[in-house]
Amino acid sequence: MLASIAYPHIDPVAFAIGPFAVRWYGLAYVAGFVLAALVLRELDRRWKVGLSTDDMLDIVLVAVVGLIAGARLGYVLFYGVGSYWSDPLSIFAFWDGGMSFHGGLVGILLAGAFIARRKDIPPLRLFDMGAVGAPIGLFFGRIGNFINGELWGRPTDVAWGMVFPRAPGDLPRHPSQLYEALLEGLVLFVVLWVLSRRKREDGFILGMMIGLYGVFRIFIEFFREPDVQLGFIAGGFTMGQVLSLPMVAAGAWLVIRALRHGRDAQDARDSGADGAGSGADVTE
């Protein structure tokens, strides 16, 4: 066997009270939403959006529903390949894993558009606020995947390869869940947090978030084992990479759009200032 480090066997169940079991994967989602809500509150204060406590609670609750529903349905549609038809009720067993980020993104954007309309907030502004906190949830979610021993990487001979108990072949593999937690979680959050230090044109932060996520995901998929149901679906590319390509394009479009709007707004302000100055000279 190739050299590897021991996979830390962690019970997926954090604790149980009678028949009720609380899993680390579920706690990861709770931690992600709580910390993302704190980020939302800080950005509301800094950007002077004017959200009340009730507004914040409504936004978070709607986001929870949109994300979980979208992530689970996305997994079923993109990766299930009809396997859930034999046991339809298992679609609702999201605590066992099987959540799609791409489906969750669609779900939370639809939920965000709904609540933004109800609260009379520009949708892109709300999306920007949520985008800063999103990598926190991604970080905890990938840690949950690692604890569950799922979404493992491809076989490798690197010194930090791990033998995942549920993976076939008893081979050391890339701990790709940790790669994703690092890039899609910590690195992405730091970049967006720095960018959010000053308010930018609506849509800029969202564009950076989905664009960078797409780039990171495409890169990490080269180390992650393709989903067993699908394998490689387009040459040497996986479903995760195919779904991430439109994200990179959409992110680039949003960033360019925001920069263009910012430049146009600055030109308008400069023109107004020049016009005011010219008028003053004529009056004198």
Side-chain angles (χ1 to χ4, degrees):
M1 180 182 294
L2 298 174
S4 64
I5 61 177
Y7 170 73
H9 293 268
I10 303 173
D11 190 343
V13 176
F15 61 89
I17 302 175
F20 181 72
V22 177
R23 295 174 175 264
W24 288 112
Y25 193 76
L27 291 177
Y29 269 78
V30 173
F33 274 112
V34 169
L35 293 176
L38 294 176
V39 170
L40 197 68
R41 170 58 74 190
E42 171 61 19
L43 293 179
D44 173 61
R45 182 193 65 80
R46 190 189 303 164
W47 293 357
K48 302 184 184 340
V49 179
L51 298 177
S52 67
T53 300
D54 287 343
D55 291 336
M56 294 287 295
L57 289 174
D58 290 344
I59 290 170
V60 171
L61 288 175
V62 170
V64 169
V65 174
L67 175 65
I68 292 178
R72 187 58 175 171
L73 290 176
Y75 182 83
V76 171
L77 294 175
F78 298 144
Y79 300 97
V81 197
S83 61
Y84 287 95
W85 290 114
S86 59
D87 184 15
L89 290 179
S90 65
I91 292 175
F92 302 99
F94 56 86
W95 51 84
D96 286 332
M99 307 287 272
S100 163
F101 170 82
H102 301 90
L105 178 64
V106 173
I108 203 167
L109 288 177
L110 291 174
F114 167 77
I115 197 65
R117 183 180 180 86
R118 293 289 301 270
K119 301 294 182 181
D120 196 25
I121 307 168
L124 283 177
R125 188 168 305 165
L126 182 60
F127 293 160
D128 280 350
M129 298 173 72
V132 179
I136 300 175
L138 288 170
F139 171 80
F140 283 108
R142 294 311 181 191
I143 296 299
N145 293 144
F146 181 75
I147 292 174
N148 283 350
E150 61 192 3
L151 305 184
W152 50 76
R154 304 184 190 187
T156 181
D157 58 359
V158 299
W160 57 89
M162 295 182 181
V163 178
F164 290 90
R166 295 164 55 187
D170 196 31
L171 296 171
R173 295 174 177 273
H174 285 285
S176 54
Q177 314 96 322
L178 301 184
Y179 300 170
E180 293 188 82
L182 176 64
L183 285 180
E184 301 165 7
L186 290 179
V187 172
L188 187 55
F189 173 73
V190 170
V191 171
L192 297 179
W193 182 255
V194 170
L195 291 175
S196 72
R197 296 294 294 175
R198 69 179 180 87
K199 182 67 181 76
R200 300 168 187 271
E201 291 296 316
D202 291 346
F204 179 83
I205 299 292
L206 174 64
M208 290 295 294
M209 184 266 168
I210 63 176
L212 285 175
Y213 174 88
V215 171
F216 291 156
R217 179 66 181 269
I218 290 171
F219 171 71
I220 293 171
E221 284 280 327
F222 287 113
F223 302 94
R224 175 174 157 176
E225 184 74 14
D227 294 88
V228 65
Q229 308 99 313
L230 301 178
F232 296 102
I233 65 170
F237 293 93
T238 66
M239 175 63 86
Q241 290 172 317
V242 170
L243 293 175
S244 295
L245 285 172
M247 292 184 62
V248 176
W253 178 81
L254 282 168
V255 169
I256 294 171
R257 174 186 178 277
L259 293 175
R260 184 175 298 160
H261 282 196
R263 185 172 60 250
D264 291 345
Q266 184 61 49
D267 290 344
R269 288 191 293 269
D270 292 343
S271 297
D274 292 342
S278 299
D281 290 341
V282 171
T283 301
E284 289 175 357

